[in-house]
Amino acid sequence: MNIIFVCKRYYTGKDVIRHRFGRLYEIPTQLARLGHDILVLCLDYRNKNHQEGFTEQFGSGSVKWIIVPIRNILNFEFTANYRTIKSMQATLIIGSSDIPCLWLSRHLSNCLGAYYIVDLYDNYESFGQARIPWFKRSLRASIKAANAIIVVSSTLKTKIMRDYSPTGSVLVMNNGIDAGSFSIGDRLEARISLRLPLQGRLIGTAGNLSRMKGLDTVYDAWHELQETTENTYLVLAGKTDPKLPLPTGERVIYLGEILENEIVQLFRALDVGIVPGHDSAFGRYCFPQKLFEMIACGLPVVAAKVGAIEDALHMNPAILFAPGDHKILAKTINLQLEYPQLPNIKPMQWNELIRDIESIIKNLI
């Protein structure tokens, strides 16, 4: 099957192409491994990289990447790309990553007479671009017109069914993990590799260290923990928020923005991983990727009782804390440090998830 996949190049602080990262890389790649030919229109909003497109071969399938600077679209310099798109003779268009990509996918579907699927890896209403006039209307029209909608969580499916009244089927496909990377390892070796304290008790998290992600609650809990504990350290990694300064002190360790293999080592090094979140338009519907990566590394966790996080950990209420309640978070961390419990959850790998979705796509076509 010939498939066109439309997405943005940069998301969650990563370059989909250079880092071969996440859902936007795995969906086309895993479909190609199943024998399909994929053309990826990768929109570059930064207009920084002049890298030409390239093709990756996976057995009988392939992924051809076309990098499209957004200025080319704004300046109507899209003719050459459209010729390539038309020659693909695609049966299916999949739009993902944000509102403009969904809009473009819908219009390509109309022009090419192809089936059209929307992939929602988040609640796109919570993105800043949704405040631009007409963008929410475009999002609604794109979802309404889709032959099928893939969503990242059950809570997001409920919202889409309730608020959008889609005509197509709504399917849940969580994010997967790379089991070759995120797996149980030696804690001491991990601490040595990251130059972390060998004897202390380490708590922490990695990712976007912002208020939107609930890090304000983590920092408030730490202010309480550092007064009541002596040998506990807070370890943080990821992009910081200028409006939310990191806590300070001898027992706060900031590793900076680290690579995926170092995140794996961090999750192996910690005693307790923290998965924060707020009861917000973002927190209720996002997928807790770090939760599943931590669990895959054998790390006990504490997590906010909200959305997909609560759904995943409903059998482990003792490790959940009310969003925004730093006092309960501090108590829950202490409980996990003293009596650690690991949820009985088996994170799925990308190839398993995409194989399930492929069968649905075939039935649609």
Side-chain angles (χ1 to χ4, degrees):
M1 188 187 308
N2 293 343
I3 301 171
I4 295 174
F5 185 79
V6 184
C7 67
K8 61 187 178 184
R9 178 168 184 174
Y10 300 96
Y11 86 119
T12 67
K14 300 286 180 63
D15 180 342
V16 173
I17 295 172
R18 185 163 67 88
H19 295 113
R20 284 163 163 68
F21 174 75
R23 191 178 184 98
L24 304 186
Y25 179 79
E26 294 290 349
I27 289 177
T29 299
Q30 296 298 338
L31 284 173
R33 292 183 189 279
L34 292 171
H36 303 287
D37 289 315
I38 317 297
L39 174 66
V40 180
L41 289 181
C42 202
L43 304 190
D44 183 356
Y45 297 157
R46 301 183 184 183
N47 294 313
K48 290 182 178 180
N49 197 307
H50 301 286
Q51 177 183 353
E52 296 295 327
F54 61 96
T55 300
E56 295 178 297
Q57 198 70 37
F58 299 95
S60 60
S62 65
V63 181
K64 181 174 183 178
W65 295 83
I66 298 180
I67 302 162
V68 185
I70 195 65
R71 61 170 172 263
N72 289 14
I73 296 177
L74 296 176
N75 294 333
F76 299 98
E77 299 171 359
F78 199 63
T79 305
N81 292 136
Y82 186 70
R83 282 199 295 266
T84 303
I85 291 167
K86 199 168 182 180
S87 68
M88 181 73 175
Q89 296 184 320
T91 308
L92 173 67
I93 315 288
I94 302 176
S96 188
S97 74
D98 64 8
I99 298 172
C101 289
L102 266 56
W103 175 87
L104 180 58
S105 301
R106 177 164 57 95
H107 281 271
L108 286 175
S109 170
N110 290 336
C111 291
L112 301 174
Y115 290 93
Y116 164 55
I117 290 179
V118 163
D119 174 56
L120 305 176
Y121 75 74
D122 228 324
N123 174 22
Y124 296 168
E125 285 182 12
S126 69
F127 289 10
Q129 62 184 210
R131 295 193 292 270
I132 299 173
W134 303 103
F135 268 50
K136 275 193 177 180
R137 180 176 293 185
S138 174
L139 174 62
R140 184 172 296 277
S142 296
I143 292 174
K144 191 90 172 173
N147 298 106
I149 302 100
I150 302 171
V151 297
V152 76
S153 67
S154 297
T155 52
L156 186 54
K157 176 179 179 177
T158 300
K159 174 180 174 57
I160 296 300
M161 296 291 290
R162 181 189 67 228
D163 296 349
Y164 288 81
S165 302
T167 55
S169 302
V170 183
L171 319 164
V172 177
M173 187 185 82
N174 299 149
N175 285 337
I177 65 159
D178 179 1
S181 298
F182 291 94
S183 58
I184 296 173
D186 186 271
R187 177 175 291 171
L188 182 60
E189 287 182 6
R191 292 187 177 189
I192 291 172
S193 72
L194 296 176
R195 298 181 180 179
L196 295 173
L198 303 183
Q199 301 300 325
R201 301 194 299 180
L202 309 185
I203 64 172
T205 193
N208 187 345
L209 306 177
S210 66
R211 190 179 303 275
M212 182 181 72
K213 293 293 186 75
L215 270 294
D216 52 328
T217 309
V218 176
Y219 297 169
D220 289 342
W222 173 249
H223 292 318
E224 186 163 318
L225 285 168
Q226 68 179 347
E227 297 296 327
T228 57
T229 61
E230 293 182 356
N231 199 30
T232 302
Y233 294 79
L234 176 64
V235 186
L236 302 166
K239 184 178 181 180
T240 59
D241 181 352
K243 297 180 181 179
L244 185 67
L246 294 171
T248 58
E250 294 181 355
R251 290 187 286 142
V252 177
I253 301 170
Y254 175 58
L255 298 176
E257 295 184 48
I258 59 178
L259 300 175
E260 182 176 286
N261 66 305
E262 295 172 304
I263 293 175
V264 173
Q265 291 293 71
L266 173 60
F267 292 166
R268 291 171 176 171
L270 295 175
D271 292 283
V272 173
I274 306 171
V275 184
H278 283 305
D279 188 6
S280 64
F282 174 80
R284 284 191 291 273
Y285 306 111
C286 68
F287 182 77
Q289 185 72 22
K290 290 294 180 287
L291 170 65
F292 287 88
E293 291 171 352
M294 290 176 178
I295 291 172
C297 291
L299 176 62
V301 299
V302 297
K305 187 178 180 180
V306 61
I309 302 174
E310 182 180 7
D311 285 350
L313 298 176
H314 68 279
M315 297 295 291
N316 303 89
I319 64 177
L320 294 170
F321 65 92
D325 192 332
H326 69 275
K327 291 186 178 295
I328 296 299
L329 172 55
K331 290 179 180 178
T332 308
I333 290 171
N334 276 327
L335 184 64
Q336 275 289 65
L337 286 171
E338 294 301 325
Y339 307 102
Q341 58 172 284
L342 188 66
N344 185 23
I345 296 174
K346 183 183 180 297
M348 292 187 70
Q349 299 184 55
W350 282 112
N351 62 327
E352 298 172 307
L353 293 164
I354 304 301
R355 193 182 302 118
D356 290 343
I357 288 297
E358 185 213 22
S359 64
I360 295 168
I361 290 173
K362 286 182 175 179
N363 289 335
L364 172 68
I365 305 303

